Amino acid sequence: MSGKRQSQTKHGDVINRCVCAKLYRVFTAKISADTQIKVADMLFSSFHTLANSLLEPFKEKLQDSITHPFTALKPWPNVDQILHEADRALKVLTVKPYSKRPYPGLNTNDPAKTFTPETRKHVAGLMRINHTGEICAQALYFGQAFGTTNPHNKTLFVHAAQEESDHLAWTAERLESLHAKPSLLNPLWYVGSFGLGALASRLSDQISLDFMAETEHQVENHLNSHLEKLPEQDDTSKAIITQMKIDEIKHGQTAILHGASQLPVFIRHSMATMAKLMKTIAYRI
């Protein structure tokens, strides 16, 4: 049977090659060499125009770095700064977080004790995603503060990171009340987010602000979807996510007030794809 399948596959390949060869012969026979060159030039020109239209918004923001690659880039951080960020990362990943603001679910009736095992698992998965998202947010903003030399932007990013630490504490407490654990891959998410934030800031303060605004916009949409996915009676989780959403909207508006603009479409789609991958994994482990 396997020999027959291999024979059929080889036969199909031969047919495909013959068809392609026949189409090529028809094309070259009926169209002159000059026309073929014109068609090739037209295709190349179309591709070049399309590539330029996609990259133009991004190239404009990197113009200084492209034209003056050595003077436009910020000074490299010293060893003390690197060690400080490594220490901060260890604390975020290993030390129990504490909130400066009251726990949003404090005055709600927590229905967790009445959850079925399936419902508890589902709610825990959603809150694990949110906890991992806050790990990423901490890393992203600390990375942006690490990469910029603009004191105003540095203050902006550090303040946003400090507010995200409240979110981290709230989601950690909610996971504990559900007898669930954070994602095992949080160290990986932290390193990746920190590197992304630092890269954005080193390329351009404008790109960094744009990135902050788009991140908060996508997080807002994500939190809205979680409010719909949570059980109707879970007022505790909803109170946490609602307050987080208010803070994320404020961070996005702050970035816009500081001059943030919209990133190119392909970058926004790439960010959404990476976020979807993280959410899929964090829901389970």
Side-chain angles (χ1 to χ4, degrees):
M1 178 68 79
S2 61
K4 185 176 180 181
R5 287 180 180 174
Q6 290 179 356
S7 176
Q8 290 175 346
T9 302
K10 290 180 180 179
H11 184 66
D13 291 341
V14 171
I15 292 175
N16 288 337
R17 286 198 296 270
C18 290
V19 170
C20 291
K22 185 175 181 180
L23 290 173
Y24 176 76
R25 286 196 298 270
V26 170
F27 176 77
T28 54
K30 293 186 176 295
I31 300 178
S32 66
D34 289 341
T35 304
Q36 292 176 38
I37 293 173
K38 289 179 181 178
V39 170
D41 286 342
M42 183 182 66
L43 291 174
F44 179 80
S45 177
S46 299
F47 176 78
H48 186 266
T49 302
L50 176 62
N52 273 341
S53 65
L54 289 173
L55 293 174
E56 191 60 34
F58 195 59
K59 290 193 320 188
E60 287 178 0
K61 294 171 184 176
L62 286 173
Q63 192 60 46
D64 289 339
S65 297
I66 295 170
T67 308
H68 308 290
F70 297 104
T71 59
L73 289 177
K74 287 88 172 173
W76 288 101
N78 57 41
V79 176
D80 288 341
Q81 291 173 304
I82 295 173
L83 291 176
H84 175 69
E85 292 303 329
D87 177 69
R88 183 166 16 216
L90 288 173
K91 289 178 180 177
V92 170
L93 293 168
T94 61
V95 177
K96 183 177 179 179
Y98 290 93
S99 172
K100 294 181 179 179
R101 291 180 289 171
Y103 181 59
L106 191 62
N107 297 320
T108 60
N109 293 320
D110 188 357
K113 293 181 180 179
T114 65
F115 285 163
T116 64
E118 292 77 13
T119 301
R120 183 185 297 274
K121 183 179 179 181
H122 173 63
V123 175
L126 296 179
M127 295 311 295
R128 186 181 299 110
I129 290 173
N130 292 320
H131 182 269
T132 295
E134 297 310 320
I135 290 284
C136 293
Q138 290 256 293
L140 179 70
Y141 290 137
F142 282 136
Q144 288 179 295
F146 177 75
T148 185
T149 55
N150 184 316
H152 298 292
N153 284 355
K154 187 180 289 289
T155 301
L156 169 68
F157 296 136
V158 170
H159 178 71
Q162 289 171 343
E163 286 197 344
E164 299 290 352
S165 68
D166 287 346
H167 300 174
L168 187 63
W170 299 339
T171 52
E173 184 171 343
R174 186 56 178 155
L175 280 175
E176 187 175 348
S177 69
L178 293 166
H179 307 293
K181 295 182 179 180
S183 173
L184 296 174
L185 299 180
N186 278 344
L188 177 63
W189 306 130
Y190 189 99
V191 171
S193 299
F194 184 91
L196 198 58
L199 176 62
S201 274
R202 286 193 62 82
L203 287 175
S204 162
D205 287 327
Q206 180 63 53
I207 291 175
S208 191
L209 288 169
D210 297 349
F211 197 82
M212 179 182 184
E214 179 59 28
T215 298
E216 297 298 356
H217 174 67
Q218 293 193 13
V219 170
E220 179 189 349
N221 292 336
H222 151 75
L223 293 176
N224 281 331
S225 71
H226 273 203
L227 287 172
E228 296 175 357
K229 294 176 182 177
L230 284 167
E232 186 177 352
Q233 72 274 24
D234 190 1
D235 293 333
T236 304
S237 297
K238 289 181 179 180
I240 295 170
I241 292 178
T242 299
Q243 184 57 54
M244 288 169 57
K245 176 184 170 183
I246 292 171
D247 294 339
E248 306 297 2
I249 292 174
K250 184 174 69 174
H251 295 163
Q253 291 174 341
T254 301
I256 293 172
L257 288 174
H258 281 73
S261 57
Q262 196 172 57
L263 288 168
V265 174
F266 71 96
I267 295 181
R268 302 202 303 271
H269 286 176
S270 298
M271 291 170 64
T273 301
M274 289 188 289
K276 185 177 181 180
L277 175 64
M278 181 276 287
K279 290 185 284 187
T280 302
I281 296 174
Y283 183 83
R284 293 168 174 80
I285 57 172

PDB file of all heavy atoms in Angstrom, residues 79-99:
ATOM      1  N   VAL A  79      27.694  49.128  34.384  1.00  0.00           N
ATOM      2  CA  VAL A  79      27.510  47.854  35.065  1.00  0.00           C
ATOM      3  C   VAL A  79      26.549  47.991  36.245  1.00  0.00           C
ATOM      4  O   VAL A  79      25.723  47.103  36.499  1.00  0.00           O
ATOM      5  CB  VAL A  79      28.867  47.298  35.536  1.00  0.00           C
ATOM      6  CG1 VAL A  79      28.673  46.014  36.341  1.00  0.00           C
ATOM      7  CG2 VAL A  79      29.770  47.029  34.340  1.00  0.00           C
ATOM      8  N   ASP A  80      26.650  49.093  36.975  1.00  0.00           N
ATOM      9  CA  ASP A  80      25.773  49.297  38.129  1.00  0.00           C
ATOM     10  C   ASP A  80      24.304  49.306  37.715  1.00  0.00           C
ATOM     11  O   ASP A  80      23.446  48.735  38.411  1.00  0.00           O
ATOM     12  CB  ASP A  80      26.111  50.616  38.838  1.00  0.00           C
ATOM     13  CG  ASP A  80      27.418  50.534  39.595  1.00  0.00           C
ATOM     14  OD1 ASP A  80      27.862  49.401  39.874  1.00  0.00           O
ATOM     15  OD2 ASP A  80      27.998  51.589  39.901  1.00  0.00           O
ATOM     16  N   GLN A  81      23.997  49.966  36.602  1.00  0.00           N
ATOM     17  CA  GLN A  81      22.620  50.005  36.125  1.00  0.00           C
ATOM     18  C   GLN A  81      22.117  48.614  35.741  1.00  0.00           C
ATOM     19  O   GLN A  81      20.978  48.246  36.026  1.00  0.00           O
ATOM     20  CB  GLN A  81      22.508  50.944  34.922  1.00  0.00           C
ATOM     21  CG  GLN A  81      22.701  52.419  35.255  1.00  0.00           C
ATOM     22  CD  GLN A  81      22.758  53.268  34.008  1.00  0.00           C
ATOM     23  OE1 GLN A  81      23.579  53.047  33.114  1.00  0.00           O
ATOM     24  NE2 GLN A  81      21.885  54.258  33.936  1.00  0.00           N
ATOM     25  N   ILE A  82      22.991  47.844  35.099  1.00  0.00           N
ATOM     26  CA  ILE A  82      22.614  46.487  34.689  1.00  0.00           C
ATOM     27  C   ILE A  82      22.359  45.611  35.913  1.00  0.00           C
ATOM     28  O   ILE A  82      21.371  44.864  35.976  1.00  0.00           O
ATOM     29  CB  ILE A  82      23.716  45.878  33.801  1.00  0.00           C
ATOM     30  CG1 ILE A  82      23.824  46.666  32.487  1.00  0.00           C
ATOM     31  CG2 ILE A  82      23.434  44.405  33.523  1.00  0.00           C
ATOM     32  CD1 ILE A  82      24.981  46.255  31.607  1.00  0.00           C
ATOM     33  N   LEU A  83      23.233  45.711  36.917  1.00  0.00           N
ATOM     34  CA  LEU A  83      23.054  44.929  38.141  1.00  0.00           C
ATOM     35  C   LEU A  83      21.787  45.346  38.887  1.00  0.00           C
ATOM     36  O   LEU A  83      21.091  44.508  39.467  1.00  0.00           O
ATOM     37  CB  LEU A  83      24.273  45.086  39.045  1.00  0.00           C
ATOM     38  CG  LEU A  83      25.565  44.437  38.542  1.00  0.00           C
ATOM     39  CD1 LEU A  83      26.719  44.737  39.484  1.00  0.00           C
ATOM     40  CD2 LEU A  83      25.400  42.921  38.390  1.00  0.00           C
ATOM     41  N   HIS A  84      21.499  46.644  38.849  1.00  0.00           N
ATOM     42  CA  HIS A  84      20.282  47.139  39.507  1.00  0.00           C
ATOM     43  C   HIS A  84      19.049  46.538  38.854  1.00  0.00           C
ATOM     44  O   HIS A  84      18.095  46.122  39.551  1.00  0.00           O
ATOM     45  CB  HIS A  84      20.242  48.665  39.418  1.00  0.00           C
ATOM     46  CG  HIS A  84      18.980  49.270  39.966  1.00  0.00           C
ATOM     47  ND1 HIS A  84      18.670  49.268  41.308  1.00  0.00           N
ATOM     48  CD2 HIS A  84      17.923  49.870  39.339  1.00  0.00           C
ATOM     49  CE1 HIS A  84      17.504  49.852  41.494  1.00  0.00           C
ATOM     50  NE2 HIS A  84      17.028  50.223  40.314  1.00  0.00           N
ATOM     51  N   GLU A  85      19.025  46.471  37.528  1.00  0.00           N
ATOM     52  CA  GLU A  85      17.874  45.903  36.824  1.00  0.00           C
ATOM     53  C   GLU A  85      17.777  44.401  37.049  1.00  0.00           C
ATOM     54  O   GLU A  85      16.668  43.858  37.137  1.00  0.00           O
ATOM     55  CB  GLU A  85      17.969  46.218  35.327  1.00  0.00           C
ATOM     56  CG  GLU A  85      17.791  47.687  34.995  1.00  0.00           C
ATOM     57  CD  GLU A  85      16.467  48.254  35.486  1.00  0.00           C
ATOM     58  OE1 GLU A  85      15.461  47.493  35.539  1.00  0.00           O
ATOM     59  OE2 GLU A  85      16.424  49.445  35.832  1.00  0.00           O
ATOM     60  N   ALA A  86      18.926  43.725  37.140  1.00  0.00           N
ATOM     61  CA  ALA A  86      18.906  42.286  37.423  1.00  0.00           C
ATOM     62  C   ALA A  86      18.326  42.033  38.811  1.00  0.00           C
ATOM     63  O   ALA A  86      17.528  41.102  39.010  1.00  0.00           O
ATOM     64  CB  ALA A  86      20.315  41.717  37.320  1.00  0.00           C
ATOM     65  N   ASP A  87      18.714  42.870  39.780  1.00  0.00           N
ATOM     66  CA  ASP A  87      18.182  42.753  41.142  1.00  0.00           C
ATOM     67  C   ASP A  87      16.677  43.004  41.154  1.00  0.00           C
ATOM     68  O   ASP A  87      15.919  42.298  41.824  1.00  0.00           O
ATOM     69  CB  ASP A  87      18.902  43.748  42.055  1.00  0.00           C
ATOM     70  CG  ASP A  87      18.341  43.738  43.473  1.00  0.00           C
ATOM     71  OD1 ASP A  87      18.539  42.728  44.173  1.00  0.00           O
ATOM     72  OD2 ASP A  87      17.704  44.734  43.883  1.00  0.00           O
ATOM     73  N   ARG A  88      16.244  44.021  40.392  1.00  0.00           N
ATOM     74  CA  ARG A  88      14.822  44.334  40.330  1.00  0.00           C
ATOM     75  C   ARG A  88      14.038  43.172  39.712  1.00  0.00           C
ATOM     76  O   ARG A  88      12.953  42.827  40.185  1.00  0.00           O
ATOM     77  CB  ARG A  88      14.593  45.608  39.523  1.00  0.00           C
ATOM     78  CG  ARG A  88      13.146  45.973  39.520  1.00  0.00           C
ATOM     79  CD  ARG A  88      12.782  47.346  39.068  1.00  0.00           C
ATOM     80  NE  ARG A  88      13.673  48.166  38.359  1.00  0.00           N
ATOM     81  CZ  ARG A  88      13.749  49.499  38.523  1.00  0.00           C
ATOM     82  NH1 ARG A  88      12.979  50.076  39.438  1.00  0.00           N
ATOM     83  NH2 ARG A  88      14.569  50.223  37.799  1.00  0.00           N
ATOM     84  N   ALA A  89      14.596  42.559  38.674  1.00  0.00           N
ATOM     85  CA  ALA A  89      13.927  41.427  38.030  1.00  0.00           C
ATOM     86  C   ALA A  89      13.754  40.265  39.006  1.00  0.00           C
ATOM     87  O   ALA A  89      12.686  39.640  39.060  1.00  0.00           O
ATOM     88  CB  ALA A  89      14.722  40.980  36.808  1.00  0.00           C
ATOM     89  N   LEU A  90      14.789  39.971  39.775  1.00  0.00           N
ATOM     90  CA  LEU A  90      14.702  38.887  40.745  1.00  0.00           C
ATOM     91  C   LEU A  90      13.621  39.165  41.788  1.00  0.00           C
ATOM     92  O   LEU A  90      12.893  38.254  42.204  1.00  0.00           O
ATOM     93  CB  LEU A  90      16.053  38.691  41.432  1.00  0.00           C
ATOM     94  CG  LEU A  90      17.155  38.051  40.570  1.00  0.00           C
ATOM     95  CD1 LEU A  90      18.490  38.065  41.314  1.00  0.00           C
ATOM     96  CD2 LEU A  90      16.776  36.620  40.191  1.00  0.00           C
ATOM     97  N   LYS A  91      13.507  40.415  42.203  1.00  0.00           N
ATOM     98  CA  LYS A  91      12.495  40.768  43.196  1.00  0.00           C
ATOM     99  C   LYS A  91      11.087  40.620  42.620  1.00  0.00           C
ATOM    100  O   LYS A  91      10.178  40.118  43.286  1.00  0.00           O
ATOM    101  CB  LYS A  91      12.724  42.196  43.694  1.00  0.00           C
ATOM    102  CG  LYS A  91      13.955  42.347  44.582  1.00  0.00           C
ATOM    103  CD  LYS A  91      14.169  43.783  45.006  1.00  0.00           C
ATOM    104  CE  LYS A  91      15.397  43.917  45.895  1.00  0.00           C
ATOM    105  NZ  LYS A  91      15.680  45.325  46.262  1.00  0.00           N
ATOM    106  N   VAL A  92      10.907  41.089  41.382  1.00  0.00           N
ATOM    107  CA  VAL A  92       9.583  40.982  40.753  1.00  0.00           C
ATOM    108  C   VAL A  92       9.171  39.523  40.611  1.00  0.00           C
ATOM    109  O   VAL A  92       8.003  39.165  40.822  1.00  0.00           O
ATOM    110  CB  VAL A  92       9.591  41.671  39.370  1.00  0.00           C
ATOM    111  CG1 VAL A  92       8.309  41.371  38.608  1.00  0.00           C
ATOM    112  CG2 VAL A  92       9.758  43.176  39.522  1.00  0.00           C
ATOM    113  N   LEU A  93      10.141  38.662  40.281  1.00  0.00           N
ATOM    114  CA  LEU A  93       9.831  37.265  39.984  1.00  0.00           C
ATOM    115  C   LEU A  93       9.773  36.367  41.217  1.00  0.00           C
ATOM    116  O   LEU A  93       9.171  35.296  41.168  1.00  0.00           O
ATOM    117  CB  LEU A  93      10.874  36.708  38.999  1.00  0.00           C
ATOM    118  CG  LEU A  93      10.852  37.317  37.592  1.00  0.00           C
ATOM    119  CD1 LEU A  93      12.089  36.903  36.819  1.00  0.00           C
ATOM    120  CD2 LEU A  93       9.588  36.905  36.848  1.00  0.00           C
ATOM    121  N   THR A  94      10.413  36.773  42.310  1.00  0.00           N
ATOM    122  CA  THR A  94      10.514  35.861  43.456  1.00  0.00           C
ATOM    123  C   THR A  94       9.910  36.388  44.751  1.00  0.00           C
ATOM    124  O   THR A  94       9.535  35.599  45.616  1.00  0.00           O
ATOM    125  CB  THR A  94      12.002  35.514  43.725  1.00  0.00           C
ATOM    126  OG1 THR A  94      12.729  36.711  44.038  1.00  0.00           O
ATOM    127  CG2 THR A  94      12.631  34.847  42.512  1.00  0.00           C
ATOM    128  N   VAL A  95       9.818  37.710  44.918  1.00  0.00           N
ATOM    129  CA  VAL A  95       9.316  38.282  46.171  1.00  0.00           C
ATOM    130  C   VAL A  95       7.818  38.528  46.049  1.00  0.00           C
ATOM    131  O   VAL A  95       7.342  39.015  45.017  1.00  0.00           O
ATOM    132  CB  VAL A  95      10.056  39.592  46.514  1.00  0.00           C
ATOM    133  CG1 VAL A  95       9.486  40.219  47.783  1.00  0.00           C
ATOM    134  CG2 VAL A  95      11.545  39.325  46.680  1.00  0.00           C
ATOM    135  N   LYS A  96       7.073  38.209  47.113  1.00  0.00           N
ATOM    136  CA  LYS A  96       5.630  38.428  47.091  1.00  0.00           C
ATOM    137  C   LYS A  96       5.331  39.917  46.950  1.00  0.00           C
ATOM    138  O   LYS A  96       5.806  40.732  47.741  1.00  0.00           O
ATOM    139  CB  LYS A  96       4.998  37.909  48.388  1.00  0.00           C
ATOM    140  CG  LYS A  96       3.477  38.044  48.409  1.00  0.00           C
ATOM    141  CD  LYS A  96       2.874  37.460  49.677  1.00  0.00           C
ATOM    142  CE  LYS A  96       1.355  37.620  49.674  1.00  0.00           C
ATOM    143  NZ  LYS A  96       0.738  37.038  50.878  1.00  0.00           N
ATOM    144  N   PRO A  97       4.557  40.311  45.939  1.00  0.00           N
ATOM    145  CA  PRO A  97       4.284  41.742  45.713  1.00  0.00           C
ATOM    146  C   PRO A  97       3.271  42.299  46.707  1.00  0.00           C
ATOM    147  O   PRO A  97       2.387  41.568  47.180  1.00  0.00           O
ATOM    148  CB  PRO A  97       3.726  41.766  44.289  1.00  0.00           C
ATOM    149  CG  PRO A  97       3.089  40.422  44.112  1.00  0.00           C
ATOM    150  CD  PRO A  97       3.927  39.450  44.912  1.00  0.00           C
ATOM    151  N   TYR A  98       3.411  43.563  47.015  1.00  0.00           N
ATOM    152  CA  TYR A  98       2.476  44.250  47.910  1.00  0.00           C
ATOM    153  C   TYR A  98       1.939  45.486  47.203  1.00  0.00           C
ATOM    154  O   TYR A  98       2.661  46.171  46.480  1.00  0.00           O
ATOM    155  CB  TYR A  98       3.149  44.638  49.218  1.00  0.00           C
ATOM    156  CG  TYR A  98       3.469  43.450  50.099  1.00  0.00           C
ATOM    157  CD1 TYR A  98       4.719  42.839  50.034  1.00  0.00           C
ATOM    158  CD2 TYR A  98       2.514  42.921  50.962  1.00  0.00           C
ATOM    159  CE1 TYR A  98       5.012  41.728  50.825  1.00  0.00           C
ATOM    160  CE2 TYR A  98       2.799  41.818  51.757  1.00  0.00           C
ATOM    161  CZ  TYR A  98       4.049  41.228  51.681  1.00  0.00           C
ATOM    162  OH  TYR A  98       4.332  40.136  52.457  1.00  0.00           O
ATOM    163  N   SER A  99       0.664  45.754  47.431  1.00  0.00           N
ATOM    164  CA  SER A  99       0.003  46.880  46.771  1.00  0.00           C
ATOM    165  C   SER A  99      -0.033  48.094  47.680  1.00  0.00           C
ATOM    166  O   SER A  99      -0.245  47.970  48.895  1.00  0.00           O
ATOM    167  CB  SER A  99      -1.417  46.476  46.377  1.00  0.00           C
ATOM    168  OG  SER A  99      -2.142  47.589  45.915  1.00  0.00           O
TER     169      SER A  99
END
